[in-house]
């Protein structure tokens, strides 16, 4: 008899975005004349840039000829992409990496979910609150979260509150966890850590033997000089951190699917007898067993973004989204709302007025302005009283949505 993993039953059935879609569908059904604008989506809307399209076409043609056809590729990615990533994303910032330390994948979400395969169920994880839900849910599935309390927190997870009072900079935990997830620039708050602030975490991890899982899916949106693009810009991080990157928001690959994970050979974790084992070897073993590589044509497309023309084109798209972010940010501030993020990230985190809760404000914005935002509480209890707005829509929609906010 097949028995299920009971941990799956602990996960909330109603996923945040399903709930939102449901409410929006109901509203549209009863107000068919309403033109609803979504500032809730975390997906890009600009098409792939011409250089990427050319690279895709070329790679497709290669697949059509016996001499250039590619079947299974290396599980951890083609050298042409790995070496291009190392040169442009790391060497250019003074960070050296070996080819074997970079693992190409079909996106950061898979790697962030799968990395848990390497760790014992007894590990205590720490996450910020609010948080990108994948870190928490994947640990719930693995049985590491414990039970959900009335306060919306899992009993075995250490939470690091991020709110306006601490300027969204989490304080070091009082209970030492085994693994800490950090995401900067942050989804959902759009805020960042400076190099000095991130160093506090690296030093803490080194002192306590903690592993940091650093998600920098939004590093391409950084505009301020003191914000680190990679955790490896912090001395000593190569001993304690794994970094996750994605081409999704950087280059519009949300549908194409490509990302990569850096596991330095110097990062280790403890065995049950207390000796240390390199995680690079384990991750390689895991990927070779459960993953058969990212499509060749997709890896060629990813390589193309690093050419001079590719960089110019993807940066134009990022600048477009960042200007949307500024329009939303400035517009909401003008209406008297307190807003955060949106300078180094495509997300704006706004405090609801008069202490209104997130879902009530969501309903109000939907019905009065016909604009969809994401209730902050969906990202964790500390998100109560906030909403997230994204800059991934069209310019016209952002401008129109901001105008409509005046109705509030
Ligand atoms: N990490 C964060 C913080 C994200 O917001 C997202 C996507 O929204 C991802 C990772 C997933 O990226 P990918 O599309 O590469 O799976």
């Amino acid at each position: 008899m097949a028995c299920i993993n009971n941990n799956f039953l602990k996960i909330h059935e109603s996923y945040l975005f399903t709930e939102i879609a449901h409410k929006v569908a109901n509203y549209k059904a009863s107000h068919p004349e309403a033109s609803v604008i979504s500032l809730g989506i975390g997906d890009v809307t600009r098409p792939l840039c011409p250089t990427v399209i050319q690279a895709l076409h070329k790679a497709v043609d290669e697949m059509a000829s016996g001499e250039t056809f590619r079947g299974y590729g290396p599980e951890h990615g083609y050298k042409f992409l790995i070496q291009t990533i190392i040169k442009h994303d790391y060497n250019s910032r003074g960070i050296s990496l070996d080819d074997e330390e970079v693992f190409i994948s079909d996106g950061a979400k898979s790697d962030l979910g799968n990395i848990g395969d390497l760790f014992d169920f007894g590990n205590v994880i720490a996450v910020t609150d609010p948080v990108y839900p994948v870190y928490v849910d994947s640990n719930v599935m693995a049985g590491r979260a414990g039970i959900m309390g009335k306060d919306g927190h899992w009993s075995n997870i250490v939470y690091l509150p991020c709110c306006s009072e601490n300027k969204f900079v989490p304080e070091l935990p009082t209970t030492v966890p085994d693994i800490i997830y950090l995401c900067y620039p942050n989804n959902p708050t759009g805020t960042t850590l400076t190099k000095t602030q991130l160093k506090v975490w690296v030093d803490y991890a080194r002192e306590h033997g903690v592993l940091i899982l650093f998600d920098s899916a939004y590093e391409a949106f950084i505009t301020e000089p003191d914000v680190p693009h990679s955790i490896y810009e912090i001395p000593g991080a190569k001993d304690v951190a794994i970094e996750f990157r994605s081409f999704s928001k950087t280059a519009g690959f949300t549908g194409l699917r490509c990302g990569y994970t850096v596991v330095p050979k110097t990062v280790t974790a403890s065995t049950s007898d207390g000796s240390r084992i390199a995680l690079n070897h384990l991750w390689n073993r895991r990927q070779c067993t459960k993953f058969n590589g990212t499509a060749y044509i997709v890896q060629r497309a990813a390589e193309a973004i690093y050419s001079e023309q590719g960089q110019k084109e993807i940066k134009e798209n990022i600048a477009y989204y960042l200007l949307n972010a500024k329009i939303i940010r400035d517009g909401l501030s003008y209406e008297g709302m307190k807003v955060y993020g949106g300078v180094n990230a495509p997300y704006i985190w706004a405090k609801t007025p008069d202490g209104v809760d997130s879902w009530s404000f969501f309903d109000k914005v939907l019905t009065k302005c016909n604009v969809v935002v994401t209730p902050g509480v969906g990202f964790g209890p500390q998100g109560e009283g906030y909403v997230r707005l994204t800059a991934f829509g069209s310019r016209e929609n952002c401008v129109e949505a901001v105008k409509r906010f005046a109705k509030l």
Side-chain angles (χ1 to χ4, degrees), residues 107-109 112 132 135 183 187 215 217-218 246 248-249 257 347:
K109 192 190 211 175
L112 284 158
Y132 175 56
Y135 316 147
C183 171
N187 178 12
D215 182 351
Y218 296 96
S246 168
S248 285
K249 311 297 159 68
R257 311 301 309 143
Y347 297 116

Side-chain angles (χ1 to χ4, degrees), residues 172 180 200-212 240:
L172 293 172
I180 301 173
V200 170
W201 289 91
V202 171
D203 291 349
Y204 175 85
R206 292 178 66 85
E207 188 185 337
H208 296 281
V210 171
L211 175 72
I212 297 178
V240 291

Side-chain angles (χ1 to χ4, degrees), residues 158-359:
V158 173
Y159 288 88
L160 311 165
C162 292
C163 46
S164 55
E165 288 74 23
N166 62 13
K167 298 195 167 62
F168 302 96
V169 178
E171 278 164 32
L172 293 172
T174 43
T175 313
V176 179
D178 302 300
I179 298 171
I180 301 173
Y181 289 81
L182 292 177
C183 171
Y184 290 100
N186 188 260
N187 178 12
T189 65
T191 57
T192 52
L193 293 185
T194 62
K195 284 183 190 155
T196 312
Q197 287 163 340
L198 186 55
K199 182 174 182 304
V200 170
W201 289 91
V202 171
D203 291 349
Y204 175 85
R206 292 178 66 85
E207 188 185 337
H208 296 281
V210 171
L211 175 72
I212 297 178
L213 301 178
F214 191 75
D215 182 351
S216 57
Y218 296 96
E219 68 78 31
F221 290 80
I222 294 171
T223 58
E224 293 179 324
D226 197 28
V227 178
H229 288 249
S230 164
I231 195 167
Y232 306 123
E233 288 175 50
I234 312 300
K238 269 173 119 187
D239 297 334
V240 291
I242 292 177
E243 178 160 284
F244 301 84
R245 290 267 185 113
S246 168
F247 292 97
S248 285
K249 311 297 159 68
T250 305
F253 276 45
T254 51
L256 209 51
R257 311 301 309 143
C258 195
Y260 65 88
T261 291
V262 180
V263 189
K265 290 176 186 165
T266 41
V267 180
T268 58
S270 229
T271 62
S272 48
D273 67 8
S275 53
R276 305 288 297 186
I277 295 270
L279 293 177
N280 179 282
H281 170 70
L282 296 189
W283 182 244
N284 188 41
R285 192 71 187 80
R286 191 261 169 222
Q287 291 298 80
C288 290
T289 303
K290 295 194 182 179
F291 183 61
N292 244 345
T294 305
Y296 170 71
I297 59 171
V298 173
Q299 294 193 55
R300 280 293 183 201
E303 180 196 28
I305 73 153
Y306 293 100
S307 68
E308 210 179 317
Q309 183 61 19
Q311 283 292 293
K312 186 174 162 286
E313 290 168 3
I314 64 160
K315 283 181 180 159
E316 277 166 12
N317 282 347
I318 290 168
Y320 178 94
Y321 294 133
L322 282 172
L323 183 53
N324 281 353
K326 182 173 164 30
I327 290 167
I328 298 169
R329 208 186 132 95
D330 292 353
L332 297 194
S333 297
Y334 183 78
E335 297 303 334
M337 288 180 73
K338 283 215 166 73
V339 290
Y340 307 91
V343 175
N344 299 293
Y347 297 116
I348 295 98
W349 191 241
K351 191 137 188 62
T352 62
D354 309 321
V356 175
D357 69 85
S358 298
W359 277 109

